[in-house]
Amino acid sequence: MSSIEEKCKNKGVRLTDQRKVIAKIMSESKDHPDVDELHKRVSYVDKKISIATVYRTVKLFEEAGILEKHDFKGGKARYEQSPDEHHDHLIDINSGEIIEFVDKDIEKLQNEVAKKLGYKLVDHKLELYGSKIKK
Amino acid sequence: MSSIEEKCKNKGVRLTDQRKVIAKIMSESKDHPDVDELHKRVSYVDKKISIATVYRTVKLFEEAGILEKHDFKGGKARYEQSPDEHHDHLIDINSGEIIEFVDKDIEKLQNEVAKKLGYKLVDHKLELYGSKIKK
DNA sequence: ATAATTGCAAATGCTTTGCTTGTGA
DNA sequence: TCACAAGCAAAGCATTTGCAATTAT
């Protein structure tokens, strides 16, 4: 059973065949596919799964905290399995490759900034866009 | 003449009546209107200006570096005049209010992170989402 | 059994575009 | 003058939704 399928069980999310396939694919994905790409991968297992179902499932999983949605540049939402510990992203503007990173110092400063402005930090989005340094 | 109109002159962007109106409204705006809202404001001055023109102009100005486009949560692009010095945004998740802030330390750390990963930082997006602390 | 889920196609919301007419430099 | 811009309506794209048929618990 995939790790996402497991999470569904724990959270009482009803499991259909389609959802199991989507759960499995997303559990195995190490990148950040958009819905089209995900549908393509899912279709390889069961070509009768419609893209509407993929959209609905991905939203369902997101609301259950199982998937994380990202709106990087490009106009299409991209998904990844919710990580155990939060990370941010650096996007290679040339290749589109996405690198994950963690920086506790930045996190801390973000909290301080919010606090200073009289706010409790609820969420944040940090995306770095860069080009590879050639050596 | 509005400050944006001035920038257009300097950059050789042709000025039409419509563009002058849009330039003026954006120069005076202290918030981050979306295209609909901007069109509404523009229509108050000249109700014959179409929303297609607003879309085209806003894109033109952005490509000329005169306006900055933001994709905050909500699905609609929002615009502000390109600031002299870069700032980031904190969005009040309850009211939608947007607060601008500058934090040099965070900027510096971002550069360091990128560098450490072998990248030259070209652009970045930092958005904080928070709720007001009641006292 | 039955409330929830699927597939399909139609609808949505934001944004872009083709085409004809109008206009700034 | 004449390449470029505006207005309009139609098209485009990602995403959502209504509905009838199907399915998980």
Side-chain angles (χ1 to χ4, degrees), chain B residues 15-19 22 48-50 52-53 56-57 60:
Chain B
L15 276 163
T16 63
D17 288 344
Q18 294 80 333
R19 289 182 185 174
I22 294 167
K48 286 191 300 311
I49 298 178
S50 76
T53 295
R56 279 192 271 236
T57 302
L60 176 77

PDB file of all heavy atoms in Angstrom, chain B residues 15-19 22 48-50 52-53 56-57 60, chain C residues 18-23, chain D residues 5-8:
ATOM      1  N   LEU B  15       2.454  56.550 -26.520  1.00  0.00           N
ATOM      2  CA  LEU B  15       1.394  56.930 -25.591  1.00  0.00           C
ATOM      3  C   LEU B  15       0.077  57.242 -26.288  1.00  0.00           C
ATOM      4  O   LEU B  15      -0.010  58.162 -27.093  1.00  0.00           O
ATOM      5  CB  LEU B  15       1.842  58.135 -24.767  1.00  0.00           C
ATOM      6  CG  LEU B  15       2.692  57.787 -23.554  1.00  0.00           C
ATOM      7  CD1 LEU B  15       3.422  58.997 -23.027  1.00  0.00           C
ATOM      8  CD2 LEU B  15       1.836  57.158 -22.469  1.00  0.00           C
ATOM      9  N   THR B  16      -0.919  56.468 -25.953  1.00  0.00           N
ATOM     10  CA  THR B  16      -2.260  56.732 -26.471  1.00  0.00           C
ATOM     11  C   THR B  16      -3.084  57.305 -25.330  1.00  0.00           C
ATOM     12  O   THR B  16      -2.645  57.299 -24.179  1.00  0.00           O
ATOM     13  CB  THR B  16      -2.912  55.430 -26.954  1.00  0.00           C
ATOM     14  OG1 THR B  16      -3.066  54.559 -25.824  1.00  0.00           O
ATOM     15  CG2 THR B  16      -2.048  54.747 -27.993  1.00  0.00           C
ATOM     16  N   ASP B  17      -4.275  57.796 -25.652  1.00  0.00           N
ATOM     17  CA  ASP B  17      -5.140  58.337 -24.605  1.00  0.00           C
ATOM     18  C   ASP B  17      -5.425  57.275 -23.545  1.00  0.00           C
ATOM     19  O   ASP B  17      -5.358  57.540 -22.344  1.00  0.00           O
ATOM     20  CB  ASP B  17      -6.464  58.812 -25.214  1.00  0.00           C
ATOM     21  CG  ASP B  17      -6.278  60.086 -26.042  1.00  0.00           C
ATOM     22  OD1 ASP B  17      -5.216  60.736 -25.887  1.00  0.00           O
ATOM     23  OD2 ASP B  17      -7.170  60.425 -26.836  1.00  0.00           O
ATOM     24  N   GLN B  18      -5.733  56.067 -24.028  1.00  0.00           N
ATOM     25  CA  GLN B  18      -6.037  54.975 -23.105  1.00  0.00           C
ATOM     26  C   GLN B  18      -4.866  54.691 -22.174  1.00  0.00           C
ATOM     27  O   GLN B  18      -5.030  54.545 -20.961  1.00  0.00           O
ATOM     28  CB  GLN B  18      -6.347  53.695 -23.879  1.00  0.00           C
ATOM     29  CG  GLN B  18      -7.589  53.697 -24.737  1.00  0.00           C
ATOM     30  CD  GLN B  18      -7.422  54.379 -26.086  1.00  0.00           C
ATOM     31  OE1 GLN B  18      -6.589  55.267 -26.261  1.00  0.00           O
ATOM     32  NE2 GLN B  18      -8.249  53.985 -27.040  1.00  0.00           N
ATOM     33  N   ARG B  19      -3.686  54.622 -22.761  1.00  0.00           N
ATOM     34  CA  ARG B  19      -2.505  54.309 -21.947  1.00  0.00           C
ATOM     35  C   ARG B  19      -2.230  55.395 -20.924  1.00  0.00           C
ATOM     36  O   ARG B  19      -1.799  55.112 -19.806  1.00  0.00           O
ATOM     37  CB  ARG B  19      -1.281  54.115 -22.865  1.00  0.00           C
ATOM     38  CG  ARG B  19      -1.369  52.817 -23.657  1.00  0.00           C
ATOM     39  CD  ARG B  19      -0.142  52.605 -24.514  1.00  0.00           C
ATOM     40  NE  ARG B  19      -0.305  51.408 -25.342  1.00  0.00           N
ATOM     41  CZ  ARG B  19       0.546  51.022 -26.282  1.00  0.00           C
ATOM     42  NH1 ARG B  19       1.627  51.750 -26.530  1.00  0.00           N
ATOM     43  NH2 ARG B  19       0.325  49.938 -26.980  1.00  0.00           N
ATOM     44  N   ILE B  22      -4.586  54.793 -18.039  1.00  0.00           N
ATOM     45  CA  ILE B  22      -4.145  53.640 -17.249  1.00  0.00           C
ATOM     46  C   ILE B  22      -2.879  53.994 -16.458  1.00  0.00           C
ATOM     47  O   ILE B  22      -2.753  53.648 -15.284  1.00  0.00           O
ATOM     48  CB  ILE B  22      -3.899  52.423 -18.166  1.00  0.00           C
ATOM     49  CG1 ILE B  22      -5.229  51.977 -18.782  1.00  0.00           C
ATOM     50  CG2 ILE B  22      -3.248  51.283 -17.396  1.00  0.00           C
ATOM     51  CD1 ILE B  22      -5.107  50.989 -19.930  1.00  0.00           C
ATOM     52  N   LYS B  48     -15.136  54.149 -22.317  1.00  0.00           N
ATOM     53  CA  LYS B  48     -15.041  53.451 -23.606  1.00  0.00           C
ATOM     54  C   LYS B  48     -13.800  52.551 -23.685  1.00  0.00           C
ATOM     55  O   LYS B  48     -13.630  51.794 -24.624  1.00  0.00           O
ATOM     56  CB  LYS B  48     -15.043  54.458 -24.758  1.00  0.00           C
ATOM     57  CG  LYS B  48     -16.432  55.083 -25.021  1.00  0.00           C
ATOM     58  CD  LYS B  48     -16.503  55.879 -26.309  1.00  0.00           C
ATOM     59  CE  LYS B  48     -15.523  57.052 -26.343  1.00  0.00           C
ATOM     60  NZ  LYS B  48     -15.557  57.924 -25.132  1.00  0.00           N
ATOM     61  N   ILE B  49     -12.928  52.668 -22.694  1.00  0.00           N
ATOM     62  CA  ILE B  49     -11.728  51.825 -22.692  1.00  0.00           C
ATOM     63  C   ILE B  49     -12.112  50.381 -22.387  1.00  0.00           C
ATOM     64  O   ILE B  49     -12.716  50.106 -21.362  1.00  0.00           O
ATOM     65  CB  ILE B  49     -10.697  52.346 -21.663  1.00  0.00           C
ATOM     66  CG1 ILE B  49     -10.258  53.764 -22.055  1.00  0.00           C
ATOM     67  CG2 ILE B  49      -9.507  51.408 -21.581  1.00  0.00           C
ATOM     68  CD1 ILE B  49      -9.290  54.393 -21.080  1.00  0.00           C
ATOM     69  N   SER B  50     -11.722  49.488 -23.284  1.00  0.00           N
ATOM     70  CA  SER B  50     -12.118  48.090 -23.121  1.00  0.00           C
ATOM     71  C   SER B  50     -11.165  47.351 -22.190  1.00  0.00           C
ATOM     72  O   SER B  50     -10.016  47.755 -21.994  1.00  0.00           O
ATOM     73  CB  SER B  50     -12.139  47.384 -24.468  1.00  0.00           C
ATOM     74  OG  SER B  50     -10.820  47.114 -24.877  1.00  0.00           O
ATOM     75  N   ALA B  52      -9.872  44.552 -22.788  1.00  0.00           N
ATOM     76  CA  ALA B  52      -8.791  43.974 -23.596  1.00  0.00           C
ATOM     77  C   ALA B  52      -7.611  44.936 -23.631  1.00  0.00           C
ATOM     78  O   ALA B  52      -6.451  44.519 -23.539  1.00  0.00           O
ATOM     79  CB  ALA B  52      -9.284  43.679 -25.005  1.00  0.00           C
ATOM     80  N   THR B  53      -7.907  46.204 -23.752  1.00  0.00           N
ATOM     81  CA  THR B  53      -6.856  47.218 -23.774  1.00  0.00           C
ATOM     82  C   THR B  53      -6.139  47.276 -22.427  1.00  0.00           C
ATOM     83  O   THR B  53      -4.920  47.434 -22.366  1.00  0.00           O
ATOM     84  CB  THR B  53      -7.440  48.599 -24.121  1.00  0.00           C
ATOM     85  OG1 THR B  53      -7.947  48.543 -25.454  1.00  0.00           O
ATOM     86  CG2 THR B  53      -6.390  49.686 -24.027  1.00  0.00           C
ATOM     87  N   ARG B  56      -3.830  44.366 -22.365  1.00  0.00           N
ATOM     88  CA  ARG B  56      -2.678  44.563 -23.239  1.00  0.00           C
ATOM     89  C   ARG B  56      -1.713  45.591 -22.665  1.00  0.00           C
ATOM     90  O   ARG B  56      -0.487  45.412 -22.707  1.00  0.00           O
ATOM     91  CB  ARG B  56      -3.154  44.996 -24.629  1.00  0.00           C
ATOM     92  CG  ARG B  56      -3.617  43.823 -25.474  1.00  0.00           C
ATOM     93  CD  ARG B  56      -3.808  44.189 -26.932  1.00  0.00           C
ATOM     94  NE  ARG B  56      -5.150  44.670 -27.207  1.00  0.00           N
ATOM     95  CZ  ARG B  56      -5.978  44.142 -28.124  1.00  0.00           C
ATOM     96  NH1 ARG B  56      -5.587  43.134 -28.857  1.00  0.00           N
ATOM     97  NH2 ARG B  56      -7.174  44.632 -28.304  1.00  0.00           N
ATOM     98  N   THR B  57      -2.254  46.635 -22.089  1.00  0.00           N
ATOM     99  CA  THR B  57      -1.412  47.712 -21.578  1.00  0.00           C
ATOM    100  C   THR B  57      -0.623  47.279 -20.354  1.00  0.00           C
ATOM    101  O   THR B  57       0.573  47.564 -20.215  1.00  0.00           O
ATOM    102  CB  THR B  57      -2.280  48.930 -21.223  1.00  0.00           C
ATOM    103  OG1 THR B  57      -2.996  49.326 -22.391  1.00  0.00           O
ATOM    104  CG2 THR B  57      -1.426  50.078 -20.733  1.00  0.00           C
ATOM    105  N   LEU B  60       2.139  45.163 -21.482  1.00  0.00           N
ATOM    106  CA  LEU B  60       3.146  46.010 -22.114  1.00  0.00           C
ATOM    107  C   LEU B  60       3.995  46.718 -21.064  1.00  0.00           C
ATOM    108  O   LEU B  60       5.227  46.720 -21.129  1.00  0.00           O
ATOM    109  CB  LEU B  60       2.447  47.053 -22.989  1.00  0.00           C
ATOM    110  CG  LEU B  60       3.332  48.093 -23.672  1.00  0.00           C
ATOM    111  CD1 LEU B  60       4.013  47.464 -24.878  1.00  0.00           C
ATOM    112  CD2 LEU B  60       2.516  49.307 -24.092  1.00  0.00           C
TER     113      LEU B  60
ATOM    114  P    DG C  18      -3.910  35.728 -33.324  1.00  0.00           P
ATOM    115  OP1  DG C  18      -3.189  34.462 -33.556  1.00  0.00           O
ATOM    116  OP2  DG C  18      -3.163  37.009 -33.281  1.00  0.00           O
ATOM    117  O5'  DG C  18      -5.087  35.861 -34.397  1.00  0.00           O
ATOM    118  C5'  DG C  18      -6.249  35.016 -34.309  1.00  0.00           C
ATOM    119  C4'  DG C  18      -7.363  35.584 -35.161  1.00  0.00           C
ATOM    120  O4'  DG C  18      -8.129  36.540 -34.392  1.00  0.00           O
ATOM    121  C3'  DG C  18      -6.889  36.336 -36.403  1.00  0.00           C
ATOM    122  O3'  DG C  18      -7.863  36.178 -37.436  1.00  0.00           O
ATOM    123  C2'  DG C  18      -6.806  37.786 -35.912  1.00  0.00           C
ATOM    124  C1'  DG C  18      -7.949  37.853 -34.901  1.00  0.00           C
ATOM    125  N9   DG C  18      -7.708  38.728 -33.756  1.00  0.00           N
ATOM    126  C8   DG C  18      -6.522  38.905 -33.083  1.00  0.00           C
ATOM    127  N7   DG C  18      -6.626  39.725 -32.067  1.00  0.00           N
ATOM    128  C5   DG C  18      -7.950  40.111 -32.065  1.00  0.00           C
ATOM    129  C6   DG C  18      -8.655  40.994 -31.195  1.00  0.00           C
ATOM    130  O6   DG C  18      -8.234  41.617 -30.222  1.00  0.00           O
ATOM    131  N1   DG C  18      -9.994  41.112 -31.552  1.00  0.00           N
ATOM    132  C2   DG C  18     -10.582  40.463 -32.607  1.00  0.00           C
ATOM    133  N2   DG C  18     -11.889  40.707 -32.793  1.00  0.00           N
ATOM    134  N3   DG C  18      -9.940  39.638 -33.425  1.00  0.00           N
ATOM    135  C4   DG C  18      -8.634  39.518 -33.095  1.00  0.00           C
ATOM    136  P    DC C  19      -7.585  36.732 -38.916  1.00  0.00           P
ATOM    137  OP1  DC C  19      -8.076  35.705 -39.847  1.00  0.00           O
ATOM    138  OP2  DC C  19      -6.202  37.247 -39.024  1.00  0.00           O
ATOM    139  O5'  DC C  19      -8.592  37.973 -38.972  1.00  0.00           O
ATOM    140  C5'  DC C  19      -9.903  37.877 -38.362  1.00  0.00           C
ATOM    141  C4'  DC C  19     -10.560  39.237 -38.333  1.00  0.00           C
ATOM    142  O4'  DC C  19     -10.253  39.923 -37.086  1.00  0.00           O
ATOM    143  C3'  DC C  19     -10.089  40.176 -39.458  1.00  0.00           C
ATOM    144  O3'  DC C  19     -11.197  40.856 -40.004  1.00  0.00           O
ATOM    145  C2'  DC C  19      -9.154  41.137 -38.752  1.00  0.00           C
ATOM    146  C1'  DC C  19      -9.824  41.231 -37.376  1.00  0.00           C
ATOM    147  N1   DC C  19      -8.928  41.689 -36.287  1.00  0.00           N
ATOM    148  C2   DC C  19      -9.471  42.486 -35.264  1.00  0.00           C
ATOM    149  O2   DC C  19     -10.657  42.778 -35.298  1.00  0.00           O
ATOM    150  N3   DC C  19      -8.657  42.921 -34.273  1.00  0.00           N
ATOM    151  C4   DC C  19      -7.363  42.586 -34.283  1.00  0.00           C
ATOM    152  N4   DC C  19      -6.611  43.030 -33.271  1.00  0.00           N
ATOM    153  C5   DC C  19      -6.798  41.776 -35.303  1.00  0.00           C
ATOM    154  C6   DC C  19      -7.610  41.351 -36.282  1.00  0.00           C
ATOM    155  P    DT C  20     -11.004  41.558 -41.477  1.00  0.00           P
ATOM    156  OP1  DT C  20     -11.798  40.782 -42.444  1.00  0.00           O
ATOM    157  OP2  DT C  20      -9.567  41.825 -41.712  1.00  0.00           O
ATOM    158  O5'  DT C  20     -11.745  42.944 -41.226  1.00  0.00           O
ATOM    159  C5'  DT C  20     -12.957  43.002 -40.433  1.00  0.00           C
ATOM    160  C4'  DT C  20     -13.059  44.369 -39.787  1.00  0.00           C
ATOM    161  O4'  DT C  20     -12.117  44.473 -38.687  1.00  0.00           O
ATOM    162  C3'  DT C  20     -12.760  45.545 -40.729  1.00  0.00           C
ATOM    163  O3'  DT C  20     -13.788  46.515 -40.617  1.00  0.00           O
ATOM    164  C2'  DT C  20     -11.412  46.071 -40.245  1.00  0.00           C
ATOM    165  C1'  DT C  20     -11.463  45.714 -38.760  1.00  0.00           C
ATOM    166  N1   DT C  20     -10.139  45.570 -38.085  1.00  0.00           N
ATOM    167  C2   DT C  20      -9.977  46.104 -36.824  1.00  0.00           C
ATOM    168  O2   DT C  20     -10.869  46.695 -36.238  1.00  0.00           O
ATOM    169  N3   DT C  20      -8.736  45.927 -36.281  1.00  0.00           N
ATOM    170  C4   DT C  20      -7.652  45.282 -36.851  1.00  0.00           C
ATOM    171  O4   DT C  20      -6.594  45.190 -36.253  1.00  0.00           O
ATOM    172  C5   DT C  20      -7.894  44.735 -38.170  1.00  0.00           C
ATOM    173  C7   DT C  20      -6.786  44.017 -38.874  1.00  0.00           C
ATOM    174  C6   DT C  20      -9.104  44.903 -38.719  1.00  0.00           C
ATOM    175  P    DT C  21     -13.719  47.889 -41.479  1.00  0.00           P
ATOM    176  OP1  DT C  21     -15.084  48.173 -41.974  1.00  0.00           O
ATOM    177  OP2  DT C  21     -12.570  47.830 -42.399  1.00  0.00           O
ATOM    178  O5'  DT C  21     -13.400  48.928 -40.318  1.00  0.00           O
ATOM    179  C5'  DT C  21     -14.206  48.930 -39.117  1.00  0.00           C
ATOM    180  C4'  DT C  21     -13.600  49.911 -38.126  1.00  0.00           C
ATOM    181  O4'  DT C  21     -12.323  49.419 -37.677  1.00  0.00           O
ATOM    182  C3'  DT C  21     -13.353  51.319 -38.697  1.00  0.00           C
ATOM    183  O3'  DT C  21     -13.759  52.267 -37.720  1.00  0.00           O
ATOM    184  C2'  DT C  21     -11.847  51.333 -38.921  1.00  0.00           C
ATOM    185  C1'  DT C  21     -11.378  50.459 -37.767  1.00  0.00           C
ATOM    186  N1   DT C  21     -10.034  49.832 -37.923  1.00  0.00           N
ATOM    187  C2   DT C  21      -9.151  49.879 -36.863  1.00  0.00           C
ATOM    188  O2   DT C  21      -9.414  50.426 -35.814  1.00  0.00           O
ATOM    189  N3   DT C  21      -7.942  49.274 -37.090  1.00  0.00           N
ATOM    190  C4   DT C  21      -7.530  48.621 -38.239  1.00  0.00           C
ATOM    191  O4   DT C  21      -6.429  48.112 -38.316  1.00  0.00           O
ATOM    192  C5   DT C  21      -8.507  48.597 -39.314  1.00  0.00           C
ATOM    193  C7   DT C  21      -8.162  47.933 -40.602  1.00  0.00           C
ATOM    194  C6   DT C  21      -9.694  49.202 -39.113  1.00  0.00           C
ATOM    195  P    DG C  22     -13.549  53.827 -37.955  1.00  0.00           P
ATOM    196  OP1  DG C  22     -14.767  54.510 -37.467  1.00  0.00           O
ATOM    197  OP2  DG C  22     -13.050  54.020 -39.331  1.00  0.00           O
ATOM    198  O5'  DG C  22     -12.367  54.166 -36.932  1.00  0.00           O
ATOM    199  C5'  DG C  22     -12.524  53.865 -35.540  1.00  0.00           C
ATOM    200  C4'  DG C  22     -11.254  54.261 -34.805  1.00  0.00           C
ATOM    201  O4'  DG C  22     -10.154  53.429 -35.257  1.00  0.00           O
ATOM    202  C3'  DG C  22     -10.795  55.709 -35.008  1.00  0.00           C
ATOM    203  O3'  DG C  22     -10.320  56.196 -33.764  1.00  0.00           O
ATOM    204  C2'  DG C  22      -9.667  55.590 -36.034  1.00  0.00           C
ATOM    205  C1'  DG C  22      -9.064  54.253 -35.639  1.00  0.00           C
ATOM    206  N9   DG C  22      -8.342  53.542 -36.687  1.00  0.00           N
ATOM    207  C8   DG C  22      -8.809  53.192 -37.940  1.00  0.00           C
ATOM    208  N7   DG C  22      -7.940  52.523 -38.654  1.00  0.00           N
ATOM    209  C5   DG C  22      -6.827  52.425 -37.825  1.00  0.00           C
ATOM    210  C6   DG C  22      -5.561  51.808 -38.047  1.00  0.00           C
ATOM    211  O6   DG C  22      -5.175  51.201 -39.048  1.00  0.00           O
ATOM    212  N1   DG C  22      -4.722  51.952 -36.939  1.00  0.00           N
ATOM    213  C2   DG C  22      -5.047  52.595 -35.776  1.00  0.00           C
ATOM    214  N2   DG C  22      -4.118  52.625 -34.838  1.00  0.00           N
ATOM    215  N3   DG C  22      -6.226  53.172 -35.550  1.00  0.00           N
ATOM    216  C4   DG C  22      -7.062  53.053 -36.621  1.00  0.00           C
ATOM    217  P    DT C  23      -9.940  57.722 -33.581  1.00  0.00           P
ATOM    218  OP1  DT C  23     -10.462  58.112 -32.255  1.00  0.00           O
ATOM    219  OP2  DT C  23     -10.300  58.463 -34.818  1.00  0.00           O
ATOM    220  O5'  DT C  23      -8.355  57.651 -33.493  1.00  0.00           O
ATOM    221  C5'  DT C  23      -7.729  56.796 -32.518  1.00  0.00           C
ATOM    222  C4'  DT C  23      -6.231  57.003 -32.581  1.00  0.00           C
ATOM    223  O4'  DT C  23      -5.656  56.236 -33.677  1.00  0.00           O
ATOM    224  C3'  DT C  23      -5.785  58.453 -32.834  1.00  0.00           C
ATOM    225  O3'  DT C  23      -4.558  58.639 -32.146  1.00  0.00           O
ATOM    226  C2'  DT C  23      -5.507  58.470 -34.319  1.00  0.00           C
ATOM    227  C1'  DT C  23      -4.858  57.098 -34.465  1.00  0.00           C
ATOM    228  N1   DT C  23      -4.804  56.519 -35.817  1.00  0.00           N
ATOM    229  C2   DT C  23      -3.696  55.769 -36.152  1.00  0.00           C
ATOM    230  O2   DT C  23      -2.778  55.566 -35.390  1.00  0.00           O
ATOM    231  N3   DT C  23      -3.720  55.245 -37.427  1.00  0.00           N
ATOM    232  C4   DT C  23      -4.725  55.404 -38.367  1.00  0.00           C
ATOM    233  O4   DT C  23      -4.624  54.894 -39.463  1.00  0.00           O
ATOM    234  C5   DT C  23      -5.845  56.218 -37.941  1.00  0.00           C
ATOM    235  C7   DT C  23      -6.980  56.451 -38.886  1.00  0.00           C
ATOM    236  C6   DT C  23      -5.832  56.730 -36.706  1.00  0.00           C
TER     237       DT C  23
ATOM    238  P    DA D   5       1.779  49.677 -30.512  1.00  0.00           P
ATOM    239  OP1  DA D   5       2.478  50.245 -29.346  1.00  0.00           O
ATOM    240  OP2  DA D   5       1.819  48.232 -30.792  1.00  0.00           O
ATOM    241  O5'  DA D   5       0.268  50.150 -30.432  1.00  0.00           O
ATOM    242  C5'  DA D   5      -0.004  51.544 -30.279  1.00  0.00           C
ATOM    243  C4'  DA D   5      -1.480  51.753 -30.073  1.00  0.00           C
ATOM    244  O4'  DA D   5      -2.188  51.465 -31.293  1.00  0.00           O
ATOM    245  C3'  DA D   5      -2.107  50.860 -29.009  1.00  0.00           C
ATOM    246  O3'  DA D   5      -3.078  51.622 -28.318  1.00  0.00           O
ATOM    247  C2'  DA D   5      -2.718  49.726 -29.806  1.00  0.00           C
ATOM    248  C1'  DA D   5      -3.163  50.461 -31.067  1.00  0.00           C
ATOM    249  N9   DA D   5      -3.199  49.648 -32.274  1.00  0.00           N
ATOM    250  C8   DA D   5      -2.237  48.791 -32.743  1.00  0.00           C
ATOM    251  N7   DA D   5      -2.545  48.224 -33.891  1.00  0.00           N
ATOM    252  C5   DA D   5      -3.796  48.749 -34.199  1.00  0.00           C
ATOM    253  C6   DA D   5      -4.674  48.563 -35.274  1.00  0.00           C
ATOM    254  N6   DA D   5      -4.411  47.756 -36.297  1.00  0.00           N
ATOM    255  N1   DA D   5      -5.844  49.239 -35.258  1.00  0.00           N
ATOM    256  C2   DA D   5      -6.107  50.054 -34.226  1.00  0.00           C
ATOM    257  N3   DA D   5      -5.361  50.318 -33.154  1.00  0.00           N
ATOM    258  C4   DA D   5      -4.210  49.634 -33.208  1.00  0.00           C
ATOM    259  P    DA D   6      -3.975  50.999 -27.214  1.00  0.00           P
ATOM    260  OP1  DA D   6      -4.070  51.998 -26.125  1.00  0.00           O
ATOM    261  OP2  DA D   6      -3.519  49.636 -26.946  1.00  0.00           O
ATOM    262  O5'  DA D   6      -5.395  50.948 -27.943  1.00  0.00           O
ATOM    263  C5'  DA D   6      -6.019  52.165 -28.336  1.00  0.00           C
ATOM    264  C4'  DA D   6      -7.456  51.906 -28.726  1.00  0.00           C
ATOM    265  O4'  DA D   6      -7.486  51.134 -29.947  1.00  0.00           O
ATOM    266  C3'  DA D   6      -8.262  51.106 -27.702  1.00  0.00           C
ATOM    267  O3'  DA D   6      -9.573  51.637 -27.647  1.00  0.00           O
ATOM    268  C2'  DA D   6      -8.246  49.691 -28.235  1.00  0.00           C
ATOM    269  C1'  DA D   6      -8.174  49.910 -29.741  1.00  0.00           C
ATOM    270  N9   DA D   6      -7.403  48.901 -30.464  1.00  0.00           N
ATOM    271  C8   DA D   6      -6.204  48.338 -30.113  1.00  0.00           C
ATOM    272  N7   DA D   6      -5.740  47.469 -30.976  1.00  0.00           N
ATOM    273  C5   DA D   6      -6.696  47.464 -31.979  1.00  0.00           C
ATOM    274  C6   DA D   6      -6.788  46.758 -33.194  1.00  0.00           C
ATOM    275  N6   DA D   6      -5.868  45.895 -33.621  1.00  0.00           N
ATOM    276  N1   DA D   6      -7.862  46.986 -33.965  1.00  0.00           N
ATOM    277  C2   DA D   6      -8.789  47.866 -33.549  1.00  0.00           C
ATOM    278  N3   DA D   6      -8.807  48.594 -32.425  1.00  0.00           N
ATOM    279  C4   DA D   6      -7.721  48.342 -31.684  1.00  0.00           C
ATOM    280  P    DG D   7     -10.514  51.241 -26.474  1.00  0.00           P
ATOM    281  OP1  DG D   7     -11.078  52.505 -25.934  1.00  0.00           O
ATOM    282  OP2  DG D   7      -9.797  50.295 -25.595  1.00  0.00           O
ATOM    283  O5'  DG D   7     -11.668  50.437 -27.229  1.00  0.00           O
ATOM    284  C5'  DG D   7     -12.224  50.944 -28.421  1.00  0.00           C
ATOM    285  C4'  DG D   7     -13.130  49.895 -29.056  1.00  0.00           C
ATOM    286  O4'  DG D   7     -12.312  49.008 -29.854  1.00  0.00           O
ATOM    287  C3'  DG D   7     -13.891  49.019 -28.069  1.00  0.00           C
ATOM    288  O3'  DG D   7     -15.228  48.881 -28.541  1.00  0.00           O
ATOM    289  C2'  DG D   7     -13.142  47.681 -28.102  1.00  0.00           C
ATOM    290  C1'  DG D   7     -12.608  47.660 -29.528  1.00  0.00           C
ATOM    291  N9   DG D   7     -11.356  46.923 -29.696  1.00  0.00           N
ATOM    292  C8   DG D   7     -10.306  46.853 -28.812  1.00  0.00           C
ATOM    293  N7   DG D   7      -9.315  46.131 -29.253  1.00  0.00           N
ATOM    294  C5   DG D   7      -9.722  45.691 -30.507  1.00  0.00           C
ATOM    295  C6   DG D   7      -9.053  44.883 -31.467  1.00  0.00           C
ATOM    296  O6   DG D   7      -7.937  44.361 -31.385  1.00  0.00           O
ATOM    297  N1   DG D   7      -9.826  44.690 -32.610  1.00  0.00           N
ATOM    298  C2   DG D   7     -11.078  45.223 -32.812  1.00  0.00           C
ATOM    299  N2   DG D   7     -11.654  44.931 -33.967  1.00  0.00           N
ATOM    300  N3   DG D   7     -11.716  45.988 -31.925  1.00  0.00           N
ATOM    301  C4   DG D   7     -10.978  46.177 -30.798  1.00  0.00           C
ATOM    302  P    DC D   8     -16.390  48.441 -27.579  1.00  0.00           P
ATOM    303  OP1  DC D   8     -17.503  49.385 -27.790  1.00  0.00           O
ATOM    304  OP2  DC D   8     -15.864  48.214 -26.221  1.00  0.00           O
ATOM    305  O5'  DC D   8     -16.809  47.027 -28.188  1.00  0.00           O
ATOM    306  C5'  DC D   8     -17.095  46.919 -29.599  1.00  0.00           C
ATOM    307  C4'  DC D   8     -16.865  45.494 -30.049  1.00  0.00           C
ATOM    308  O4'  DC D   8     -15.447  45.234 -30.159  1.00  0.00           O
ATOM    309  C3'  DC D   8     -17.397  44.437 -29.071  1.00  0.00           C
ATOM    310  O3'  DC D   8     -18.570  43.841 -29.615  1.00  0.00           O
ATOM    311  C2'  DC D   8     -16.263  43.430 -28.922  1.00  0.00           C
ATOM    312  C1'  DC D   8     -15.279  43.841 -30.018  1.00  0.00           C
ATOM    313  N1   DC D   8     -13.866  43.600 -29.673  1.00  0.00           N
ATOM    314  C2   DC D   8     -13.043  42.938 -30.587  1.00  0.00           C
ATOM    315  O2   DC D   8     -13.512  42.572 -31.668  1.00  0.00           O
ATOM    316  N3   DC D   8     -11.750  42.709 -30.263  1.00  0.00           N
ATOM    317  C4   DC D   8     -11.274  43.116 -29.080  1.00  0.00           C
ATOM    318  N4   DC D   8      -9.995  42.882 -28.815  1.00  0.00           N
ATOM    319  C5   DC D   8     -12.105  43.799 -28.131  1.00  0.00           C
ATOM    320  C6   DC D   8     -13.378  44.017 -28.463  1.00  0.00           C
TER     321       DC D   8
END
